């Protein structure tokens, strides 16, 4: 039965996942989010200063000073946040179109600019001289994905059919690119914009609001424990087959991460309870401690292993694992297509997800309000993501102990197997001179 399962993964699942991982639209969305990441990390970092991790009636001198400073300079602190994390959909819109245009060998910068203009046209119509920012943050994520892909595919459609303004060869290239935007811009204004106006006047909603309403059941479902466990299982099954499961599953989950994060930040600013658990920091610092498979505990075991092979992998992989990078362990052990380590590799992160989800839903640990670099050491990243709640860091340590117990029996079996192989190899090498 196990052989049939592994054959199914290798022959059926792997080819499909490999094609999905290289699909140009998925890659463009993923790279668009990555391009906007620095702005979002900086903005999220500043959010912690605006909302200190101290109660208003604290007697701790640092907490009193921090509360007073955040209250006195709240607007000044929030301005960088509003211009980065608060309008992240704008950066992502340009990034998706830019990367997708590059994959099609189109002029990437004009595509990015047209995508940004289109998104602002439908998400932030001007009224009384001001632009509404309601859909420029997390709530505009799904709209910005659709717009980025639509605009780029429109540009490609026109180029393939040679539809555009013909200019003499003597015209500089930059001017040629600018004029090539005229027809696509007019098409956008004559298609998406009238639809947005119709929705606005007939139903009192903008197109991004309709898109969010359509995706709302999916967002709620994605925040549930069964959905999280399915994502964890799929990610690690792909890893086991030798495919970068985190890149594929993470690319699909990225919009949900950012929408949930944006809604949590909106609730924080409004003084309401945080609604969502499943944010990227939850995945990085609770589910996959030390990287996919929650292998940090396993690497620690490797460093003390009697097997020379595992001990070498442990010494090589311990520092990267602290920063959630574990390719040396996955491919060096190897864990890929290794039936002994398959069970703990999949089960340990699923156990982590279950425990952390119940802890967050019951209020035992804080929910995520900040976008944190996934390379932050897990206890630090978990506390940082929740506004420096130390209980989150303690939960990480508890999960590491649990992961240790899950991996231990399988580690012992694999270590024993390798020790026998190493002993056999050593005996064979010692016998060669005598035979000569």
């Amino acid at each position: 039965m196990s052989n049939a399962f592994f054959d199914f993964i290798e022959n059926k699942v792997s080819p499909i996942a490999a094609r999905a991982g290289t699909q140009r639209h998925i890659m463009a969305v993923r790279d668009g989010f990555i391009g906007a990441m620095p702005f979002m990390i900086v903005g999220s970092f500043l959010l912690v200063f605006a909302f200190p991790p101290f109660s208003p009636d604290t007697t701790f001198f640092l907490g009193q000073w921090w509360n007073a400073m955040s209250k006195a300079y709240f607007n000044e602190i929030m301005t960088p946040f509003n211009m980065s994390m608060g309008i992240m959909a704008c950066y992502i819109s340009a990034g998706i179109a830019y990367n997708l245009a590059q994959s099609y060998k189109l002029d990437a910068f004009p595509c990015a600019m047209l995508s940004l203009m289109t998104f602002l046209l439908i998400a932030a119509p001007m009224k009384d001289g001001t632009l509404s920012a309601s859909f420029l943050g997390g709530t505009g994520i799904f709209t910005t994905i659709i717009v980025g892909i639509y605009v780029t595919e429109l540009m490609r459609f026109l180029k393939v059919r040679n539809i555009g303004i013909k200019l003499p060869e003597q015209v500089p290239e930059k001017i040629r690119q600018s004029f090539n935007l005229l027809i696509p811009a007019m098409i956008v204004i004559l298609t998406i914009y009238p639809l947005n106006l119709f929705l606005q006047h007939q139903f009192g909603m903008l197109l991004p609001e309709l898109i969010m309403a359509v995706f709302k059941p999916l967002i709620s479902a994605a925040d549930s424990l069964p959905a999280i466990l399915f994502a964890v299982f799929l990610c690690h099954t792909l890893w086991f087959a030798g495919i970068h499961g985190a890149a594929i599953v993470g690319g699909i989950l990225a919009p949900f991460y950012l929408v949930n994060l944006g809604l949590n930040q909106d609730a924080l600013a409004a003084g309401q309870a945080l609604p969502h658990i499943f944010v990227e920091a939850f995945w990085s610092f609770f589910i996959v401690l030390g990287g996919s498979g929650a292998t940090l505990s396993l690497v620690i075991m490797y460093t003390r292993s009697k097997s020379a092979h595992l001990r070498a992998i442990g010494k090589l992989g311990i520092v990267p694992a602290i920063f959630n990078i574990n390719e040396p362990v996955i491919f060096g052990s190897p864990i890929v297509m290794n039936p002994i380590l398959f069970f703990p590799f999949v089960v340990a992160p699923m156990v982590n997800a279950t425990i952390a989800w119940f802890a967050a839903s019951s209020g035992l640990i804080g929910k995520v309000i900040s976008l944190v670099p996934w390379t932050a050491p897990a206890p630090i990243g978990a506390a940082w993501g929740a506004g420096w709640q130390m209980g989150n860091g303690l939960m990480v340590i508890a999960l590491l102990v649990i992961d240790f117990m899950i991996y231990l029996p399988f580690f012992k079996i694999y270590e024993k197997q390798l020790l026998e192989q190493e002993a056999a190899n050593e005996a064979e090498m010692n016998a060669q001179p005598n035979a000569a």
Side-chain angles (χ1 to χ4, degrees):
M1 186 179 294
S2 62
N3 290 336
F5 175 69
F6 295 143
D7 288 341
F8 174 77
I9 293 174
E10 186 174 9
N11 299 322
K12 301 296 184 181
V13 177
S14 295
I16 297 173
R19 287 194 294 271
T22 57
Q23 206 281 329
R24 68 174 76 243
H25 296 90
I26 294 176
M27 293 181 66
V29 172
R30 181 198 65 194
D31 294 340
F33 288 146
I34 292 173
M37 199 66 69
F39 304 104
M40 295 188 286
I41 291 175
V42 171
S44 294
F45 182 76
L46 291 171
L47 186 66
V48 178
F49 288 95
F51 298 94
F54 298 98
S55 63
D57 57 350
T58 181
T59 57
F60 183 45
F61 76 95
L62 177 60
Q64 291 177 335
W65 174 83
W66 195 337
N67 285 336
M69 291 293 291
S70 65
K71 185 176 181 180
Y73 299 101
F74 181 80
N75 291 330
E76 289 80 357
I77 296 172
M78 287 297 292
T79 296
F81 169 82
N82 292 330
M83 294 299 105
S84 53
M85 192 75 191
I87 58 171
M88 62 178 170
C90 297
Y91 304 115
I92 294 171
S93 176
I96 292 173
Y98 186 93
N99 286 286
L100 184 57
Q102 279 193 323
S103 73
Y104 281 131
K105 303 296 189 293
L106 301 175
D107 295 327
F109 185 73
C111 284
M113 293 299 98
L114 181 58
S115 177
L116 178 58
M117 185 276 286
T118 305
F119 176 68
L120 290 173
L121 184 69
I122 63 175
M126 182 174 288
K127 184 178 181 180
D128 298 328
T130 60
L131 296 178
S132 171
S134 300
F135 296 101
L136 300 186
T139 51
I141 292 297
F142 291 107
T143 303
T144 202
I145 293 173
I146 295 171
V147 166
I149 293 174
Y150 169 77
V151 165
T152 309
E153 292 294 344
L154 173 63
M155 296 281 284
R156 175 173 172 266
F157 176 86
L158 296 175
K159 182 176 181 179
V160 168
R161 285 156 181 77
N162 201 26
I163 301 174
I165 298 175
K166 306 298 188 295
L167 295 176
E169 293 295 329
Q170 295 81 5
V171 175
E173 182 62 24
K174 294 300 179 183
I175 296 178
R176 189 189 304 275
Q177 291 179 2
S178 297
F179 273 83
N180 285 339
L181 273 179
L182 290 177
I183 292 179
M186 288 301 300
I187 293 176
V188 165
I189 293 174
L190 294 175
T191 55
I192 293 183
Y193 185 53
L195 174 61
N196 199 52
L197 289 176
F198 174 78
L199 291 172
Q200 189 174 1
H201 291 288
Q202 292 297 320
F203 302 100
M205 63 168 49
L206 298 175
L207 186 56
E209 193 173 355
L210 174 63
I211 293 173
M212 271 297 293
V214 171
F215 278 95
K216 188 173 182 179
L218 192 58
I219 295 170
S220 299
D223 201 40
S224 66
L225 181 59
I228 296 171
L229 293 179
F230 175 76
V232 173
F233 178 79
L234 178 61
C235 172
H236 291 83
T237 301
L238 294 176
W239 260 123
F240 181 75
I243 298 171
H244 201 304
I248 296 174
V249 175
I252 296 171
L253 293 177
F256 297 95
Y257 288 154
L258 291 178
V259 170
N260 289 346
L261 178 61
L263 293 174
N264 277 2
Q265 292 175 341
D266 292 342
L268 178 67
Q272 301 171 351
L274 305 185
H276 293 288
I277 295 174
F278 197 35
V279 181
E280 185 178 11
F282 182 84
W283 177 284
S284 300
F285 305 123
F286 289 119
I287 298 177
V288 290
L289 303 177
S292 295
T295 53
L296 181 55
S297 294
L298 181 65
V299 178
I300 295 173
M301 293 184 217
Y302 279 5
T303 60
R304 308 291 295 177
S305 175
K306 298 176 183 178
S307 165
H309 172 73
L310 295 183
R311 193 165 59 251
I313 296 299
K315 291 179 180 179
L316 177 67
I318 185 64
V319 173
I322 292 173
F323 298 96
N324 300 319
I325 300 169
N326 67 341
E327 279 80 359
V329 178
I330 289 178
F331 295 105
S333 297
I335 294 176
V336 172
M337 298 308 292
N338 184 338
I340 296 176
L341 294 177
F342 172 74
F343 180 83
F345 183 73
V346 174
V347 170
M350 294 181 74
V351 170
N352 290 350
T354 303
I355 295 172
W357 190 88
F358 279 110
S361 61
S362 64
L364 185 62
I365 60 174
K367 296 178 182 178
V368 178
I369 59 169
S370 295
L371 185 65
V372 183
W374 61 270
T375 51
I380 297 174
W384 178 355
W388 296 107
Q389 295 194 30
M390 294 299 106
N392 288 37
L394 296 176
M395 174 59 69
V396 169
I397 296 173
L399 293 175
L400 283 173
V401 175
I402 294 171
D403 294 342
F404 188 93
M405 293 187 290
I406 292 173
Y407 269 107
L408 183 59
F410 300 92
F411 161 75
K412 288 294 185 181
I413 294 171
Y414 190 45
E415 182 186 49
K416 180 181 178 181
Q417 184 184 89
L418 290 181
L419 285 172
E420 292 173 354
Q421 293 177 2
E422 291 170 5
N425 292 336
E426 185 177 357
E428 183 179 351
M429 292 179 61
N430 292 335
Q432 288 178 355
N434 297 332

